[in-house]
Amino acid sequence: MAPAPDGYAPAVSLRAHPVEETATLPDGREVVVRIGLLDDPYIKRRENDTITLDLLIGGEVEATVETVLEPQHASEARALAREVATKLESGELKPTAGSVEHIALTIPG
């Protein structure tokens, strides 16, 4: 991302830039781990602070869970997406909301 005209780098936010990691499940299917702003047509985007972790298989949402992350937690979201993708690939986690929910309730350190 290029610096702003004033020399400062623009802030990266999950509000505008969701994080995605792709993983291959033990059964060979690909899953996309997406962390970003909840897409809710009833809440104005600028007023929405809800960040969700979504699992997509074949372009379809397999699971969605709310996280404790805030829009400015972009680097934490990247770490969380990598952790979930790694655990999905190993089979430690299943591609279900119940399986990933406990991880979504943490902020990677």
Side-chain angles (χ1 to χ4, degrees):
M1 189 171 289
D6 61 6
Y8 291 97
V12 176
S13 167
L14 295 171
R15 189 177 301 285
H17 303 284
V19 169
E20 290 187 356
E21 284 284 328
T22 302
T24 302
L25 297 171
D27 66 8
R29 294 179 296 162
E30 282 198 344
V31 60
V32 175
V33 179
R34 181 190 174 280
I35 301 176
L37 192 67
L38 172 68
D39 186 19
D40 187 335
Y42 296 103
I43 302 173
K44 292 180 183 174
R45 197 161 178 82
R46 68 181 176 274
E47 295 174 5
N48 185 357
D49 287 335
T50 302
I51 303 298
T52 59
L53 184 157
D54 305 311
L55 301 178
L56 297 99
I57 298 177
E60 299 291 325
V61 177
E62 191 74 20
T64 298
V65 295
E66 199 169 313
T67 74
V68 293
L69 298 175
E70 296 182 18
Q72 69 272 15
H73 287 142
S75 63
E76 293 87 351
R78 279 190 296 281
L80 179 61
R82 282 191 299 268
E83 178 182 358
V84 171
T86 298
K87 290 182 177 186
L88 286 166
E89 285 185 337
S90 73
E92 184 178 341
L93 292 177
K94 303 293 181 210
T96 64
S99 183
V100 299
E101 185 175 32
H102 71 284
I103 293 176
L105 297 176
T106 63
I107 298 178

